[in-house]
Amino acid sequence: MKRDIILSGVGGQGILSIATIIGDAAMNKGMYIKQAEVHGMSQRGGDVHSHLRISDQPIASDLIGQGCADIVISMEPMEALRYKSALKKGGWIVTAKAPFVNIPNYPNIDAIYAELGKLGNAILVDAETIAKENQMTRSVNMILLGAAANALGLDIETLSASVARIFGSKGDEVVAMNVKALQLGAEVK
């Protein structure tokens, strides 16, 4: 199995936490990983993205070429659209539906949804609503990760074990909330 994954969003949305959990899950399945991160001006809502490659074979480079990504996971729809050209034919975009409007000329959201809809393999997740309804507003990123699990080729049990390892020092309540968020995301179709 091999997956080339681009994670994108705006600073502070939890992109790097998603990368850490996917990487931990892959390593615990005996896979190889390579990761390259670009940290934008997160304190000002800047673009943050990460290239994450997982494979059952050794990986030479940590960067993903244009048209080569299997999946783009984005915390924000405009950022998902920014990286659509990175997808290979048949690749997936899994994005949160709610826009993070941090610029005065943010594009029309319906136009963004229409462009994403043209891809065929796009899942727009109303992750913020799911999070609010379940009193887990800090776990939007885990809801999104759960929704992307099938496209990633990683099961919820493996991802949940990684959440427990990564967030374990924050206490059982934080772990339980994030595991529940993964499960809720996995139910999104």
Side-chain angles (χ1 to χ4, degrees):
M1 179 183 99
K2 177 186 84 61
R3 293 289 186 279
D4 289 336
I5 308 152
I6 294 180
L7 303 160
S8 67
V10 175
Q13 290 186 307
I15 288 299
L16 301 180
S17 293
I18 292 174
T20 300
I21 290 166
I22 293 171
D24 182 81
M27 284 192 310
N28 280 286
K29 285 206 153 269
M31 300 176 79
Y32 297 90
I33 70 164
K34 291 269 186 177
Q35 181 178 5
E37 298 172 1
V38 174
H39 301 270
M41 303 242 334
S42 61
Q43 72 275 18
R44 296 186 183 160
D47 169 44
V48 174
H49 71 275
S50 177
H51 289 215
L52 181 62
R53 304 183 74 201
I54 61 176
S55 177
D56 55 6
Q57 301 294 316
I59 303 166
S61 172
D62 54 357
L63 296 178
I64 300 167
Q66 285 295 96
C68 295
D70 296 292
I71 182 169
V72 171
I73 301 173
S74 181
M75 292 297 298
E76 203 279 334
M78 185 178 72
E79 293 300 323
L81 193 57
R82 179 190 312 251
Y83 293 102
K84 82 172 191 168
S85 64
L87 282 176
K88 70 181 187 181
K89 187 174 180 174
W92 284 87
I93 284 185
V94 179
T95 184
K97 191 172 183 179
F100 186 88
V101 181
N102 60 344
I103 55 174
N105 58 344
Y106 193 95
N108 176 281
I109 193 62
D110 291 326
I112 292 173
Y113 294 157
E115 282 300 311
L116 292 171
K118 291 177 184 177
L119 296 173
N121 292 336
I123 301 172
L124 280 71
V125 182
D126 196 356
E128 286 192 7
T129 299
I130 294 168
K132 286 176 187 172
E133 288 173 350
N134 290 279
Q135 293 82 44
M136 55 177 59
T137 56
R138 298 195 64 186
S139 297
V140 172
N141 60 339
M142 292 300 107
I143 293 168
L144 199 61
L145 178 56
N150 282 340
L152 289 169
L154 296 168
D155 58 75
I156 293 298
E157 294 76 22
T158 300
L159 291 168
S160 295
S162 292
V163 164
R165 278 188 293 279
I166 302 302
F167 294 142
S169 65
K170 295 182 180 193
D172 292 341
E173 286 183 35
V174 171
V175 169
M177 178 179 61
N178 283 289
V179 167
K180 181 178 179 185
L182 280 172
Q183 293 166 341
L184 290 168
E187 295 170 7
V188 172
K189 299 296 175 210

